[in-house]
Amino acid sequence: MTPAGTDLEPTAQPVTGTDWHAYPKPIWRTSPKHWPDFWRRSIQARIVTGTLLMSAVVVFLVGWVMMSQVTDGVLESRRETAHAEAAAQVNRAQAELNAGDAPAAMEAVSQLVSNSNGGTFKAVVVPIDSVSSSTQATWVSSGVDPESVPQVLRSSVIADPSKLFDTYTTLKYQDGSTEPALVVGTQLRMESTNERFQMYLLFSLTPQAEVLGVVQRALLTAGLLLVLLLGAVAWLVTRQVVTPVRMARRIAERLAAGRLEERMQVRGTDDLARLAVSFNKMASNLQQQIRRLEELSRLQRRFVSDVSHELRTPLTTVRMAADLLHEAKDDFDPVSRRSVELMQNELNRFEALLADLLEISRFDAGAAALDLEDVDLRDIVARVLENHETLLARKGAEMLLDMPRPCRAQVDSRRIERILRNLIGNAIEHSEGRPIRITTASDEDAAAVAVRDHGIGFRAEEADLVFSRFWRADPARARTTGGTGLGLSIALEDARLHGGRLDAWGSPGEGAYFRLTLPRRPGVPLIGSPLPTRPPDASRVVPDINLVEVGSPYQKLTGDRGGAE
């Protein structure tokens, strides 16, 4: 609970306990094939992964820069030391060569190479040219392969006798072992014979390599620990933020499922706590509004049902009187006769409206039931067309039937006839005298009937209103069939009651297309339909916003026809 004295006290009893099913499973408990789904639905996983990747990149760059600087420093220090030592050895060797005759000088060079066996460097002395056979040998420290000196360095030493040249190489031994080394070379000259020699001193870099290896391992370990630490920090931080969001999602799902008493826990006074308080206030307001609307809807349904029943009694009396007057209308004057006919027509419409209101009230109360029988939908179509012969003749529309094979299903024939009566009646009324096509088809699981007209079609701005109760596309248009405005609404309910679907397609100037799909047997779920969603003769594709499906939470339909029965 929020501490006393703050403004964050929850507006309703918070939820206690934790519903672990509401949280995504950790990735280590998720099958690899579900990892893409885990990645898409988990903000925490994306943030932690992104933090780890960015941290790894930063640590790699920083480590690379630091390792480069340390390596350059260590090697440069060793290079300066090697140059100083090499210069001293070169001066000593050159002095020996200048001090005595050729045999003594050669002995001095050999002694220098021999002394290098236990020193900090290895030596290789190679004559460039000679005038006697005694100087044609190569002096090499014990065990060293002369090929350790790169040819590029040899060429540089031969070309310029005044400089010390160096390069990094691999020191090879005759036993096959190797180690990193720095080789420094220059040229020597014996004044007495004018002979020249290449002198190379190879300094081992193994100690430096070991130091650099220790530094590299330390940087790698520190970098790995730093990346893991940053990942753990990101996980903890995002968990603090994501957990209330997941809780809000869980509560929202429960609210959507009808559990209006659910509330979020409120802890502390931070922004997330204020978010929880605001969410709880919103949930409380929604609960009050939904309950108020439910009560209002219940009262409206009760009112419609009561009024419809109460009006039947006086209507029966009025009907009896009107029938008597209608039977004697030939004895009246023309004005009275016309009045009796108008009264009879309006009474017929009034009775139809009461019947539809009673049917709607049964749907609202969940009291509608099916009287199933195995029928051929073609027979129902034939009965409906027979009842519309007069209207069809008056409109002058041609009726085209595409019903080649039996189309049987277990349905409530009275309700299916009512659906087709609405669809066919609307098609005739809005056909503008153009042909109307009725198609039936069936497969193993479903049976379908489609009604296609080429009249005025649907308008997009009327998409959500076509199946609304008492709605008319054009209030100024005369009703030639005396509809009640509830026909298509009842058709939707009848199709839903069968577990079927009612799809509608329309395009301004191209007409409309209604497709009724029903399961052939009760309880069989519909997967598809034997007939297409759009008419095959549609000249252009109309977006899916022109489609309505029974049972879908989205009823998007463009239309210019009302709910006339």
Side-chain angles (χ1 to χ4, degrees):
M1 297 296 292
T2 305
T6 67
D7 60 347
L8 297 180
E9 295 186 2
T11 58
Q13 183 66 29
V15 179
T16 59
T18 304
D19 184 3
W20 295 107
H21 297 286
Y23 298 90
K25 293 181 180 179
I27 191 169
W28 56 84
R29 294 175 54 193
T30 306
S31 175
K33 66 180 181 180
H34 294 149
W35 284 356
D37 295 334
F38 180 85
W39 171 265
R40 285 192 295 270
R41 75 171 186 266
S42 177
I43 298 176
Q44 187 176 12
R46 293 198 297 271
I47 293 177
V48 172
T49 304
T51 302
L52 289 174
L53 291 177
M54 294 298 297
S55 302
V57 171
V58 172
V59 168
F60 172 79
L61 293 177
V62 173
W64 179 77
V65 172
M66 293 181 63
M67 193 63 196
S68 298
Q69 293 178 348
V70 171
T71 302
D72 292 342
V74 171
L75 294 180
E76 184 62 26
S77 176
R78 180 54 176 157
R79 181 173 177 271
E80 293 176 357
T81 303
H83 264 260
E85 188 171 355
Q89 295 295 333
V90 168
N91 291 334
R92 177 184 173 188
Q94 186 65 54
E96 294 286 346
L97 290 176
N98 294 335
D101 55 6
M106 296 300 101
E107 181 64 26
V109 172
S110 177
Q111 187 65 32
L112 173 65
V113 173
S114 299
N115 293 338
S116 67
N117 290 328
T120 59
F121 62 89
K122 304 295 181 180
V124 176
V125 178
V126 181
I128 299 177
D129 49 23
S130 61
V131 295
S132 64
S133 60
S134 61
T135 60
Q136 294 180 357
T138 298
W139 293 274
V140 182
S141 296
S142 177
V144 175
D145 186 353
E147 297 298 326
S148 300
V149 180
Q151 187 61 41
V152 176
L153 183 63
R154 294 173 184 266
S155 301
S156 300
V157 169
I158 294 173
D160 191 350
S162 61
K163 294 181 180 179
L164 283 175
F165 296 93
D166 65 83
T167 187
Y168 295 104
T169 186
T170 299
L171 180 55
K172 304 175 183 178
Y173 293 95
Q174 293 178 355
D175 60 1
S177 61
T178 60
E179 63 176 329
L182 174 67
V183 56
V184 180
T186 189
Q187 190 178 127
L188 301 177
R189 183 173 178 273
M190 183 185 299
E191 292 184 356
S192 60
T193 62
N194 205 27
E195 292 184 69
R196 295 182 301 165
F197 301 89
Q198 306 170 57
M199 182 176 181
Y200 301 100
L201 302 181
L202 296 95
F203 297 88
S204 174
L205 296 178
T206 299
Q208 287 71 26
E210 292 176 352
V211 171
L212 293 177
V214 172
V215 174
Q216 186 177 18
R217 288 192 294 272
L219 288 177
L220 182 61
T221 303
L224 181 61
L225 292 177
L226 181 60
V227 170
L228 294 178
L229 178 61
L230 291 175
V233 171
W235 182 81
L236 290 174
V237 172
T238 54
R239 180 178 177 83
Q240 296 296 321
V241 177
V242 170
T243 298
V245 175
R246 290 174 175 171
M247 182 67 70
R249 181 202 55 135
R250 177 183 64 126
I251 300 302
E253 290 175 350
R254 292 185 176 183
L255 290 174
R259 299 172 61 177
L260 302 178
E261 72 283 353
E262 295 287 341
R263 298 293 183 272
M264 290 184 63
Q265 277 188 321
V266 180
R267 295 178 178 176
T269 58
D270 56 12
D271 292 335
L272 293 177
R274 291 182 179 274
L275 173 63
V277 170
S278 301
F279 186 93
N280 289 341
K281 289 181 179 179
M282 178 191 69
S284 297
N285 293 333
L286 286 176
Q287 182 181 17
Q288 295 174 5
Q289 292 295 333
I290 290 175
R291 287 179 175 175
R292 186 180 298 113
L293 291 175
E294 287 177 346
E295 181 64 19
L296 179 61
S297 177
R298 187 186 64 81
L299 292 175
Q300 288 177 338
R301 291 196 301 268
R302 181 64 180 271
F303 174 78
V304 171
S305 179
D306 292 345
V307 169
S308 300
H309 283 88
E310 292 298 330
L311 287 178
R312 295 187 70 86
T313 300
L315 180 62
T316 302
T317 304
V318 174
R319 164 62 69 184
M320 294 174 61
D323 288 342
L324 291 176
L325 292 175
H326 190 267
E327 292 176 357
K329 67 178 182 178
D330 294 336
D331 300 332
F332 299 156
D333 58 86
V335 175
S336 299
R337 186 184 309 115
R338 180 56 180 167
S339 299
V340 170
E341 291 176 351
L342 290 176
M343 181 177 65
Q344 188 75 6
N345 292 335
E346 293 305 315
L347 279 175
N348 292 335
R349 292 189 58 191
F350 192 24
E351 285 185 335
L353 176 60
L354 281 181
D356 287 345
L357 287 175
L358 288 173
E359 191 66 23
I360 287 291
S361 66
R362 281 193 287 269
F363 283 125
D364 291 339
L370 294 176
D371 184 12
L372 298 178
E373 56 180 322
D374 187 38
V375 298
D376 191 337
L377 297 184
R378 298 182 303 174
D379 297 336
I380 300 179
V381 172
R383 290 199 301 269
V384 173
L385 291 177
E386 184 178 354
N387 294 332
H388 285 84
E389 285 182 352
T390 303
L391 177 61
L392 191 61
R394 185 164 63 249
K395 289 292 183 178
E398 180 184 4
M399 186 64 66
L400 305 176
L401 301 181
D402 184 8
M403 302 185 297
R405 293 182 298 177
C407 185
R408 307 194 69 86
Q410 296 182 25
V411 298
D412 188 331
S413 60
R414 179 182 66 86
R415 296 182 183 276
I416 300 304
E417 182 175 347
R418 182 164 56 192
I419 295 175
L420 295 178
R421 186 167 63 247
N422 279 283
L423 299 182
I424 295 175
N426 279 347
I428 296 174
E429 185 176 359
H430 299 86
S431 64
E432 304 293 327
R434 298 186 182 95
I436 300 171
R437 179 179 294 274
I438 300 177
T439 306
T440 61
S442 63
D443 56 22
E444 184 178 352
D445 299 321
V449 180
V451 180
R452 169 75 163 115
D453 67 71
H454 297 81
I456 55 180
F458 300 149
R459 290 203 301 265
E461 60 270 21
E462 298 168 346
D464 297 327
L465 303 175
V466 175
F467 290 106
S468 299
R469 300 174 183 181
F470 300 107
W471 181 81
R472 295 182 60 186
D474 186 1
R477 183 182 299 138
R479 288 187 180 270
T480 58
T481 58
T484 64
L486 296 172
L488 291 181
S489 300
I490 296 176
L492 276 174
E493 299 293 344
D494 283 333
R496 182 181 293 114
L497 191 62
H498 282 81
R501 52 190 293 176
L502 182 60
D503 302 316
W505 174 95
S507 177
E510 293 193 15
Y513 174 82
F514 286 85
R515 182 190 66 178
L516 172 65
T517 306
L518 301 168
R520 297 191 62 183
R521 294 172 299 278
V524 176
L526 286 181
I527 300 177
S529 177
L531 295 175
T533 304
R534 293 184 175 88
D537 60 347
S539 62
R540 61 189 179 93
V541 176
V542 179
D544 286 342
I545 193 175
N546 288 348
L547 297 177
V548 167
E549 178 181 328
V550 173
S552 171
Y554 305 102
Q555 294 189 354
K556 298 288 186 181
L557 172 68
T558 59
D560 185 32
R561 66 183 66 228
E565 186 175 8

